[in-house]
Amino acid sequence: QVQLVESGGGLVQAGDSLRISCAASGRTFSSNAMGWFRQAPGKEREFVATISSGGTTYYADSVKGRFTISRDNAKNTVYLQMNSLKPEDTAVYYCAADRRPNYHYFVIREDEYVYWGQGTQVTVSS
């Protein structure tokens, strides 16, 4: 049984930082791309960041320069470090895993991911 569990969300002030985590269990994803998505009320879920099995990263323009995705394969965990948070970053953040090993393209489409966590709420007050 594969599970992705996000944690670390909460209420922060604008300009603050927060790191959220996604711990995977049931299988190892060291060779798979991982991603973060987010969804605000009334809005579509949007891509945030992705990291390949080789450690290359890609970010949405809205978070580039502020967010950093990383992974710890020994812990089967992916992280999203969020700095300079803005109220518009308020959303439920979801982590996801691709099932294709050593895929050499950035995975930014939702339908390319097959494993999803239940999300963690990040609220940024002004």
Side-chain angles (χ1 to χ4, degrees):
Q1 181 176 343
V2 175
Q3 283 191 322
L4 274 61
V5 181
E6 300 95 338
S7 63
L11 175 63
V12 298
Q13 294 181 330
D16 208 347
S17 298
L18 193 67
R19 189 180 77 160
I20 55 176
S21 303
C22 175
S25 62
R27 65 178 292 175
T28 299
F29 290 97
S30 60
S31 298
N32 303 75
M34 302 289 290
W36 285 98
F37 292 78
R38 67 186 183 185
Q39 186 172 25
K43 296 183 179 180
E44 298 292 322
R45 186 162 58 187
E46 65 176 353
F47 167 78
V48 176
T50 186
I51 183 168
S52 73
S53 61
T56 56
T57 59
Y58 182 79
Y59 301 90
D61 289 340
S62 59
V63 306
K64 186 177 182 180
R66 299 188 297 119
F67 290 10
T68 302
I69 187 172
S70 62
R71 65 194 303 164
D72 185 339
N73 288 334
K75 297 181 178 180
N76 210 23
T77 300
V78 64
Y79 306 94
L80 185 67
Q81 177 67 44
M82 301 178 287
N83 298 328
S84 301
L85 282 162
K86 305 174 181 179
E88 52 262 44
D89 294 319
T90 296
V92 176
Y93 283 72
Y94 300 90
C95 68
D98 186 23
R99 73 193 307 266
R100 297 167 295 186
N102 299 309
Y103 186 65
H104 297 297
Y105 299 92
F106 292 120
V107 184
I108 61 175
R109 292 179 55 176
E110 293 183 41
D111 58 9
E112 294 186 280
Y113 291 93
V114 296
Y115 302 107
W116 291 82
Q118 294 186 357
T120 186
Q121 176 71 47
V122 174
T123 302
V124 185
S125 63
S126 60

